[in-house]
Amino acid sequence: MRIAVCIKQVPDTETKIKLKPDQSGIEVAGVKWVINPYDEHAIEEALKIRGTIAGSSVLVITLGPKSRAGEALRTALAMGADDAILIDSGENSLDASTTASALAACLKKEGAFDLILTGRQAIDDNDASVSQMLAGELGIPHLTVISKFALNGQVATVEREVEGGTKEVFEITLPALFAANKGLNTPRYASLPGIMKAKKKVIKEYDLPGLGVDPKQSRVKQTAFRLPPEKPAVKILAGDIATQVHDLARLLREEAKVI
């Protein structure tokens, strides 16, 4: 079975984000970059499936600046992926549709895949739409937000979460694309031997023109960024319960003006 996993490199959630002076984007200097957390679950699921089907392989693909995006691929290789492809986007800011077009063109060049996995969304832009668009470009069925996955031959039984805690169960014949949710599995850590092997792996590269994709075709343009407003300082109420209740009611009435 040929399995492809599409991943994205995103800023670490612990990184302090700073904006450029003209607010056109974030200052990338000093930012710690990591694999998108949802994509880690996609990688883990691919590795688990490979372990149950002899002769299977896992290819990881990412799109981003060549200067740094390869680090995410090295991490995926250290986790156990077999091969990796970097689509160099330069410093272009691509919308979800153009990203999906580039990934689809790459996958088509690499031949037919039985299974494609992604994360449900990237934590930087939260679009949660690339996986669906990618499946549309490839003309294959897809499901997102999957929390359970089982494979029987060429039929996948998949459980996904919907509103209100309800769950849906689907049976889909491969080839298909699935977008992983947290809870699908527990991603493994890269081992030291895996890290050493990953350093020696050759990462295949494409660029956008080579895939027939024009970065100028992006229909969505990011024009300005702003940080969320500072949160006001909290107030800690002192005294016994009766005093705290009295003070809370007064603050809600006089300051918050919600009662």
Side-chain angles (χ1 to χ4, degrees):
M1 175 173 285
R2 296 190 74 204
I3 307 169
V5 186
C6 299
I7 68 175
K8 184 178 183 181
Q9 189 185 50
V10 298
D12 190 309
T13 53
E14 298 297 322
T15 292
K16 181 70 174 178
I17 297 298
K18 297 180 180 179
L19 299 183
K20 294 179 179 179
D22 61 359
Q23 294 187 316
S24 62
I26 67 171
E27 288 282 6
V28 297
V31 171
K32 179 183 177 183
W33 299 90
V34 298
I35 294 176
N36 178 51
Y38 290 102
D39 299 346
E40 291 181 332
H41 294 275
I43 296 169
E44 176 62 29
E45 197 65 22
L47 297 176
K48 287 174 59 180
I49 295 167
R50 184 192 63 185
T52 63
I53 304 176
S56 297
S57 62
V58 175
L59 169 71
V60 287
I61 304 172
T62 195
L63 182 151
K66 181 179 178 179
S67 59
R68 60 170 169 79
E71 296 174 8
L73 295 176
R74 295 287 179 196
T75 301
L77 290 169
M79 290 174 69
D82 299 291
D83 299 290
I85 294 177
L86 169 63
I87 304 173
D88 181 19
S89 64
E91 297 302 325
N92 295 296
S93 179
L94 306 181
D95 63 9
S97 177
T98 309
T99 298
S101 294
L103 292 171
C106 176
L107 288 164
K108 290 175 182 177
K109 278 183 173 288
E110 292 300 308
F113 287 87
D114 302 286
L115 177 63
I116 300 171
L117 294 166
T118 71
R120 61 172 284 185
Q121 67 189 75
I123 63 169
D124 53 355
D125 54 28
N126 282 318
D127 274 353
S129 57
V130 170
S131 61
Q132 298 94 315
M133 292 181 180
L134 176 56
E137 292 271 358
L138 297 172
I140 59 176
H142 77 279
L143 277 176
T144 66
V145 201
I146 69 167
S147 54
K148 286 187 180 179
F149 182 93
L151 197 59
N152 183 12
Q154 290 294 303
V155 178
T157 302
V158 181
E159 184 177 286
R160 68 186 298 269
E161 299 175 3
V162 292
E163 295 282 340
T166 306
K167 298 182 185 298
E168 297 177 335
V169 179
F170 293 83
E171 286 189 350
I172 296 182
T173 301
L174 304 184
L177 183 151
F178 301 99
N181 195 16
K182 291 180 178 179
L184 175 62
N185 51 49
T186 302
R188 67 193 68 185
Y189 291 103
S191 65
L192 181 58
I195 293 171
M196 299 308 293
K197 289 179 181 178
K199 290 181 178 179
K200 299 176 182 179
K201 285 269 189 177
V202 176
I203 295 178
K204 190 173 182 179
E205 295 181 7
Y206 288 106
D207 58 18
L208 295 177
L211 295 173
V213 176
D214 182 358
K216 294 180 181 180
Q217 75 186 49
S218 287
R219 298 179 181 180
V220 178
K221 304 295 183 184
Q222 297 172 342
T223 57
F225 289 72
R226 65 176 182 269
L227 295 174
E230 291 286 341
K231 293 183 178 179
V234 300
K235 291 186 177 181
I236 299 177
L237 302 179
D240 58 25
I241 295 299
T243 302
Q244 292 183 38
V245 170
H246 178 272
D247 290 343
L248 176 60
R250 179 179 57 79
L251 290 170
L252 291 174
R253 182 177 61 254
E254 298 177 3
E255 293 191 14
K257 298 186 184 303
V258 295
I259 59 174

